[in-house]
């Protein structure tokens, strides 16, 4: 295997500064789910902490605990997939900020043997129906939460939701529900220290969605939205490239040992160019474990090729657009079997 997924941590740091400036005065919660969008959790969290990021969005408790191990005791680490009582207990033990989108978890919390109070952020379902407390159950959830707070079992840290960012009108409707839910919480004596509902797109484009925290994943890694504004307009840059060296040259062309099993969708064959020492060359075939490039004079085994991403002709989102998907999908497909390397 000659391929490597090369992550430029200085470029990442520039994106972090850009995100911070774009969402200010809200704070940036760096979303690091899916192994930091496949860039490698540990290196990403370590650099982000050094750059002043203090909130991390970790998805599940296991990932949250991994972030805790890297970022130390002062990081705030938000998780929103909590699978029952044991998982909840582990989240409390790791001092995570727990996104509660299911009333059953409030009962689980009541049943935990007393330890430190859990930091909780109640999630109102504002229309995505992924998880979240339905508006008609919100008051009941608030009463239960108030009991847990009074009993010293929970600290009420936030109200949150997740929006589709598919259309401004849908997002506006979601925000109206969100604001109502927050007002109801306040009336119930539960004052959210942190409100949050936006991710990359709304966090950049729509000031009224920023609230206290903006949960930004994609843009932090320089992944622009498919069909949306470009990197230059957003002020971000791709931070990673897939690089590989030429393994063989034969009459069919120049071969690399990356293929669909490593994350290069075979439907991209014939549709994009890579960087070679002689300039752009088309990827003509994509097999399971190798691909074939159009030849060039003096091609040599060991020549370095930038397949996509930073320094390449196509970004993850450029490739995604060719096959009607999103940049995250291309980034997340880069196989864990390809080693990550870090430059800074
Ligand atoms: C993935 C995710 C985000 C980050 O979304 P991006 O578009 O990558 O910024 C934010 N919040 C939640 C709940 C998520 O699942």
């Amino acid at each position: 295997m000659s391929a490597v997924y090369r992550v430029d941590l200085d470029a990442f740091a520039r994106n972090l500064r850009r995100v911070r400036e774009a969402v200010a005065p809200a704070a940036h919660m760096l979303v690091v789910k899916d192994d930091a969008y496949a860039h490698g959790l540990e290196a990403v969290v370590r650099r982000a902490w050094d750059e002043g990021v203090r909130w991390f969005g970790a998805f599940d408790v296991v990932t949250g605990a991994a972030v805790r191990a890297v970022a130390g005791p002062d990081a705030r680490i938000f998780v929103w997939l909590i699978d029952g009582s044991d998982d909840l207990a582990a989240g409390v033990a790791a001092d995570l900020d727990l996104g509660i989108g299911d009333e059953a978890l409030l009962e689980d919390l009541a049943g935990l043997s007393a330890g430190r109070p859990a930091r909780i952020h109640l999630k109102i379902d504002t229309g995505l129906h992924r998880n979240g407390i339905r508006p008609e159950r919100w008051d009941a959830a608030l009463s239960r939460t108030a009991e847990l707070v009074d009993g010293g079992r929970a600290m009420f840290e936030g109200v949150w939701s997740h929006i589709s960012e598919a259309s401004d009108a849908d997002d506006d409707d979601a925000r109206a529900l969100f604001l109502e839910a927050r007002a109801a919480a306040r009336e119930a004596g539960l004052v959210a220290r942190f409100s949050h509902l936006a991710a990359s797109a709304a966090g950049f484009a729509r000031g009224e969605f920023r609230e206290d925290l903006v949960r930004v994943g994609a843009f932090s890694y320089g992944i622009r939205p498919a069909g949306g504004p470009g990197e230059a307009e957003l002020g971000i840059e791709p931070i990673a490239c897939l690089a590989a060296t030429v393994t063989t040259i034969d009459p069919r062309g120049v071969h690399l040992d990356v293929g669909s099993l490593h994350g290069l969708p075979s439907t991209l064959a014939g549709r994009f160019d890579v960087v070679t020492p002689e300039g752009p060359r088309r990827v003509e075939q994509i097999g399971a474990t190798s691909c074939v490039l159009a030849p060039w004079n003096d091609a040599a085994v060991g020549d370095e090729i930038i397949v996509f991403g930073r320094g390449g002709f196509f970004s993850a989102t450029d490739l995604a657009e060719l096959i009607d998907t999103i940049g995250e999908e291309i980034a997340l497909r880069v196989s864990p079997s390809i080693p990550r390397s870090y430059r800074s």
Side-chain angles (χ1 to χ4, degrees):
M1 164 67 55
S2 73
V4 58
Y5 197 52
R6 195 178 286 148
V7 181
D8 185 325
L9 292 172
D10 289 338
F12 175 55
R14 287 192 291 277
N15 286 343
L16 293 179
R17 273 171 237 144
R18 170 64 189 135
V19 172
R20 178 178 306 162
E21 159 200 292
V23 305
H28 175 198
M29 180 193 289
L30 174 66
V31 178
V32 295
K33 65 189 178 194
D34 295 317
D35 198 28
Y37 290 48
H39 294 84
L41 184 80
E42 189 177 333
V44 160
V45 169
R46 182 158 289 131
R47 183 60 184 262
W49 180 262
D50 289 347
E51 295 294 328
V53 173
R54 291 296 173 264
W55 279 92
F56 295 87
F59 187 61
D60 59 11
V61 172
V62 168
T63 308
V67 174
R68 174 69 70 215
V70 177
D74 297 331
R76 297 293 295 259
I77 303 165
F78 179 63
V79 299
W80 58 95
L81 187 87
I82 301 163
D83 186 14
S85 188
D86 290 350
D87 209 30
L88 186 71
V92 176
D95 198 21
L96 307 182
D97 279 79
L98 308 169
I100 304 289
D102 178 352
E103 281 178 274
L105 283 171
L106 295 173
E107 296 317 314
D108 289 339
L109 195 53
L112 288 190
S113 56
R116 70 169 97 209
R119 302 175 193 269
I120 66 173
H121 300 230
L122 273 195
K123 182 180 187 188
I124 177 79
D125 179 0
T126 52
L128 274 188
H129 308 313
R130 278 194 204 162
N131 71 6
I133 293 161
R134 304 273 307 148
E136 64 272 19
R137 295 296 308 164
W138 187 247
D139 285 342
L142 290 174
S143 316
R144 195 67 178 113
T145 300
E147 287 168 12
L148 293 169
V149 170
D150 290 344
R153 311 307 305 275
M155 294 187 287
F156 188 69
E157 294 292 310
V159 172
W160 75 290
S161 192
H162 193 47
I163 56 176
S164 71
E165 298 183 325
S167 84
D168 283 0
D170 284 348
D171 290 348
D172 289 339
D173 291 347
R175 179 165 173 269
L177 284 173
F178 176 81
L179 294 177
E180 245 176 70
R182 188 179 58 186
R186 196 173 287 140
E187 273 163 38
L190 296 167
V191 180
R193 293 175 65 202
F194 302 102
S195 291
H196 46 113
L197 76 166
S200 290
F204 266 53
R206 308 199 65 199
E208 69 274 32
F209 281 75
R210 287 179 201 136
E211 298 291 346
D212 302 301
L213 297 169
V214 183
R215 303 184 306 266
V216 179
F219 289 8
S220 312
Y221 306 101
I223 301 173
R224 68 170 174 87
E231 287 101 2
E233 189 181 328
L234 295 167
I236 58 173
E237 46 190 306
I239 67 166
C241 71
L242 180 62
T245 55
V246 171
T247 52
T248 20
I249 300 160
D250 66 18
R252 288 201 299 140
V254 173
H255 298 245
L256 305 180
D257 58 357
V258 284
S260 58
L261 290 178
H262 304 111
L264 215 51
S266 54
T267 46
L268 287 170
R271 305 187 69 180
F272 77 106
D273 296 328
V274 297
V275 177
T276 79
E278 286 291 310
R281 284 296 180 282
R282 190 118 296 212
V283 176
E284 294 183 332
Q285 295 168 41
I286 300 174
T289 57
S290 63
C291 64
V292 185
L293 313 181
W296 60 94
N297 293 333
D298 308 326
V301 169
D303 281 352
E304 184 175 275
I305 307 300
I306 305 294
V307 180
F308 74 85
R310 183 174 185 76
F313 290 115
F314 285 70
S315 69
T317 304
D318 294 335
L319 294 184
E321 285 169 342
L322 293 173
I323 55 172
D324 289 323
T325 180
I326 55 175
E328 290 88 325
E329 164 91 18
I330 300 291
L332 291 183
R333 276 198 198 201
V334 175
S335 165
S337 70
I338 294 184
R340 271 57 178 165
S341 82
Y342 298 96
R343 268 191 189 167
S344 58

